[in-house]
Amino acid sequence: MFLTSENKLNFNRLIFGATLTCVLVLTGIFWFDIPLFMFLRSFNCGIWDTIGTIFSVKSWLVVSLLVVLIFYIKKTVRTKPRLSLVDFYNKVKASYAFWIFSAVFLAISTGAILKFIIGRMRPVFFEALGITGFFPFTYDDAFHSMPSGHTMASFAGLVMIGMLAPRWKYFSWGLATIIAISRVCAGMHWPSDIIFGAFWGILCAELVHAWMVRRIK
C-alpha cells in the first residue's frame, strides 16, 4: 500500500493514508461510531470471541516466535553455536516467521504507547452507563480502546504474509478485516479503533518489510 515496487516508502501515499485515517477516526468519534457499533453489536455471537482468542496478540507473538526459534535451532545445529543476540539475528533474519514476528511486535509495542496516550474508554462503558470519553495516560486496560490491539497485530501479521506470499494477499487482507470487525461485534472496540489499528498494523508491516529486504541483500 505504501511501498513502491523498489520496496521504498512512497511518502505521498503514506501522507494520503494517514490523512484519510485521521479523517475517518475523527468522523467516527464525532458521528458514526455509536450507530455503527450498535448495528454490528446486533450480530454478536460466540464465533467472534473464538476469533478473538485464536488471533489474539499473544497468539501472534507466541506462534511466530516459536517458528523463529525452530528455524534458529535448525540453523544452529549445522554450525558452531554462538550464544549472542547478534548471532541469533544473523541466523533468523532471512526467516519469514521472523519478519512476521517483527511486524507484530513493532505494531503492538508502539500501539501500546498510543493506547496509553489516547486513553479511550472501551464501549462497555457506553453499553452499561451510556457514557464515552477519553482519559489519557491511564494504565487501566478499560481505557485502552484505541487503537485495537487485535487489529494492529492481525493486520501487521497478515499484511506481511500477503507481501511474502502474493497469491494469498486477498485472503490475508480479507481475514484481517474480518478479525477487525469481530472486535466491534464482540463489543471490545469502536469502529474508529479498528480503522486506526488497521492503518498502524499495515504501516508497521511495510516498514519491517522494507527494512528486512535491505538487510538480507
Side-chain angles (χ1 to χ4, degrees), residues 100-118:
I100 295 170
F101 171 81
S102 299
V104 173
F105 182 80
L106 177 63
I108 64 171
S109 58
T110 54
I113 297 173
L114 292 173
K115 284 174 174 283
F116 175 69
I117 294 173
I118 296 171

Side-chain angles (χ1 to χ4, degrees), residues 14-104:
L14 179 57
I15 292 172
F16 176 78
T19 302
L20 179 60
T21 299
C22 287
V23 170
L24 289 174
V25 168
L26 290 174
T27 304
I29 293 172
F30 292 107
W31 177 49
F32 67 72
D33 264 351
I34 292 178
L36 185 53
F37 172 80
M38 296 303 294
F39 171 73
L40 290 174
R41 278 293 278 158
S42 65
F43 296 96
N44 185 36
C45 61
I47 186 65
W48 304 126
D49 293 326
T50 302
I51 290 175
T53 300
I54 295 173
F55 295 99
S56 67
V57 171
K58 184 181 294 186
S59 296
W60 276 108
L61 288 175
V62 170
V63 173
S64 58
L65 182 58
L66 181 61
V67 177
V68 171
L69 290 175
I70 293 173
F71 183 86
Y72 173 71
I73 292 171
K74 286 185 176 181
K75 295 274 287 189
T76 301
V77 296
R78 299 172 186 171
T79 59
K80 184 178 180 180
R82 298 176 182 177
L83 299 180
S84 69
L85 290 177
V86 173
D87 180 63
F88 178 82
Y89 172 73
N90 287 333
K91 287 180 177 176
V92 303
K93 65 182 181 180
S95 165
Y96 287 164
F98 181 68
W99 295 28
I100 295 170
F101 171 81
S102 299
V104 173

Side-chain angles (χ1 to χ4, degrees), residues 166-183:
R167 291 184 179 181
W168 292 90
K169 177 179 179 179
Y170 295 107
F171 172 79
S172 64
W173 278 71
L175 179 57
T177 302
I178 291 172
I179 295 168
I181 294 174
S182 75
R183 303 310 292 160

